[in-house]
Amino acid sequence: MSVVTSRVPRIDIPARYRASLGVLGMALAVMAALFHAEIVAAVQVWSASTAYNHCFLILPIAVWLAWDRRGRLRGLTPAPEALAILLAVPFAIGWLAADRLGIMEGRQLAAMGMVQALLLGVLGRRVYRAMAAPFLYLIFLVPFGGFLVPALQQFTTDFVDAGLRVLGIAYFTHGYTIEIAQGAFHIAEACAGLRFLIAAIAFSVLYALLIFRSTTRRLTFIAVAVTVPVIANGFRALGIVWLGHELGSAKAGATDHVLYGYIFFSIVLFILILLGLPFRQDGTRPGAGVAAVDEPSPAMRASLMPAVAIPGFALVIVGLAGIVSAQAAATAVRLPLAPAGCTALTGGARFPAGGRAVRFACADGVTATIALFPPRTDPKPLFDARRKLSLADTREAFINYVEIPRADPGLWTLVTTKHMNHTTLSALFVDGRGTNGNLRTRLRLAWADLFGHPSQPIAMVFEAAGPRATALPKLEAFVQGQTLGTAVLGRMAR
C-alpha cells in the first residue's frame, strides 16, 4: 500500500529581504501601538456604517495584490531611503494639527502617511515603486469622505427637483425634504449615496489595477466609476419619488428602498465591469520575465535609521497631544444652576476629556441638555457629545439645518428620529458666542486648547417629544425666548 503525501507550499523569503522585513515588522508594530486610537476608531466606523463595511476587505486585498506582484521584486534589493525620514515630518505635523482640530479622519490619514514614509524608508524607492499598488491601496483603510455627505444630499435633492420638473409632478422642496401630493420624502444622510461612492472608488481602483496597464486607461475608468454612482443615486432617489406618486403613497414608494439601492448599485457595477472589459490589458502578469538576482542584504544600520526615526516622530506627537489633553481634562468643570423657568433633572451624563452634562425641564415640554467641558478641551469630545445628545447618531436620523431669527447662533441643527418620536435643536457656545460648528469653530477651540482660554465650551441640545411639525415651533419659541440665551450661557461658561 502506498501513501500519497502533499506538501504545503512554503513561502521562501530571499535572504536580501529578511533583515529589512524583520525591521519593518517591528517598526509597524510600534506604529500600531502608538496609533491604536486611530485603528480602533476606524474599525468602529467600519462596523457601524454601511458606507464602510467594505473596509474589512481592504487589508486582505492589499496582501493579495502584493503577492500577485511579487514577480516585480525578483530583480530588486531593499535600499533604505534616509530622505523618507524628512517625508514623515509634514505628516507628523499634520497629525498634530488634526488632533488639535478634533478631526479623526485627518489623524488617520496622517498616520497612514507616516506608515507610507516608513515603508519607503526601510525598503527603498525601487521596492516601494514596485509595490506601490498594494501599499497605496491601504489608504482605503481610512474611512474618509464623511464631509461629502451634505454635498451629496444637496446634489441628490437638486437632481430629484430637476427630474420632477421634467416629469411634470407637482412638488415642494425645503432643505433635503421633497413633498408631493402623496407624501414627503427626505434625502437622509444614508440616502445621499456616500456608501455607493466610497465602495465604487475602492472597487474601481482595484479593477483598474488588475485589468489595465496604461495610466490613462486606469484614471479614465476610475473617473467614470466615481461619476456614474453619484448620478445613478440621483436616478434611484427620483425613481422612489416617482414610484410613490404612481402608487399614491410616499410610504409605499419608499418601502425597501435600501434594498432597491443595493440591487441598483450592483447592476451599475456590473455594467461598469462590462464597459471596461473591451479595453483590458491584463495579458501579462506583473513582473513576468524579470530575472532573479542574488544580492547582499542592506546594512542593518541603514534599515534601522528610518525604522527608529519615524516611529520616534510618532511617539513625540502622540505624547505631546496626550500631555495637553490630560492637562485640560484635569480641570474640573463648573456645573451651572437651573436657569429661570427651568427645573434641574437628574441623570446628567459624563463624557471623555472631563465633560459633564446637566439636564433641565423647561416650559412647554422642552428638555434642555447642557454639556460643559474644561476650557482647553480639543474639539472632538465637544462635537461627539453634541452628536450623541442630539440623537444625530441614531440610525436613519433625519438631519436638517434651520435658521432662527433673533437667536445666537442664527443657524441650528435639527434632528428628527426615524419614527418621529423625538426632535432636537442643537448648537455650540464657544468663546462667548454661539455657533453651529464649523472649521472656524474648530480653529477657535484649537487656539484655546494650545494657548488657554478661561471659558468653558458648551454643547447645547434642546429636545421636544413628537414629530417635527409639532415639536419645531416649541423649540424655536424656546430658543427665541432667551431662557438659555447668550447672557445665560455666558455666565455658565465662566
Side-chain angles (χ1 to χ4, degrees), residues 291-450:
V293 297
D294 187 16
E295 297 183 10
S297 303
M300 179 65 73
R301 181 179 178 182
S303 297
L304 284 175
M305 284 181 59
V308 171
I310 295 175
F313 290 154
L315 179 61
V316 170
I317 59 174
V318 172
L320 179 61
I323 291 173
V324 174
S325 297
Q327 290 176 344
T331 304
V333 297
R334 300 176 294 276
L335 298 180
L337 299 174
C342 298
T343 305
L345 298 174
T346 59
R350 292 180 179 269
F351 294 98
R356 295 282 302 275
V358 291
R359 300 172 66 243
F360 304 114
C362 302
D364 210 8
V366 174
T367 300
T369 303
I370 305 296
L372 303 100
F373 287 83
R376 297 184 63 183
T377 301
D378 68 83
K380 187 177 186 303
L382 181 66
F383 279 72
D384 288 349
R386 177 197 182 175
R387 285 190 61 87
K388 181 177 180 180
L389 293 172
S390 67
L391 308 177
D393 288 333
T394 306
R395 186 174 179 83
E396 298 286 346
F398 300 147
I399 303 176
N400 277 300
Y401 302 95
V402 295
E403 293 186 5
I404 303 179
R406 304 183 307 279
D408 183 26
L411 185 67
W412 292 69
T413 298
L414 171 68
V415 178
T416 305
T417 55
K418 180 179 180 180
H419 298 292
M420 306 295 180
N421 295 325
H422 296 278
T423 301
T424 67
L425 279 179
S426 64
L428 304 175
F429 190 81
V430 176
D431 194 16
R433 289 173 287 177
T435 174
N436 195 41
N438 49 31
L439 181 58
R440 182 179 298 178
T441 305
R442 292 179 181 272
L443 289 171
R444 284 161 52 192
L445 285 166
W447 182 270
D449 180 17
L450 293 174

Side-chain angles (χ1 to χ4, degrees), residues 184-239:
F185 298 84
H186 181 77
I187 308 297
E189 290 187 357
C191 302
L194 180 67
R195 69 182 77 178
F196 301 148
L197 177 60
I198 298 299
I201 294 174
F203 169 79
S204 64
V205 171
L206 176 61
Y207 186 86
L209 289 172
L210 295 177
I211 300 298
F212 306 121
R213 297 291 174 262
S214 165
T215 301
T216 301
R217 294 192 184 188
R218 284 175 172 172
L219 293 179
T220 301
F221 180 81
I222 292 172
V224 172
V226 169
T227 304
V228 168
V230 176
I231 298 174
N233 187 65
F235 278 109
R236 180 189 70 88
L238 176 61

Side-chain angles (χ1 to χ4, degrees), residues 57 61 73 83 100 116 143 177 180 197 230 253 308 322 431 465-466:
L57 301 175
I61 290 173
L73 301 178
L83 290 177
R100 295 301 89 193
Q116 296 294 325
T177 301
I180 60 176
L197 177 60
V230 176
V308 171
D431 194 16

Side-chain angles (χ1 to χ4, degrees), residues 449-461:
D449 180 17
L450 293 174
F451 301 103
H453 194 277
S455 66
Q456 302 179 135
I458 294 174
M460 45 186 170
V461 179

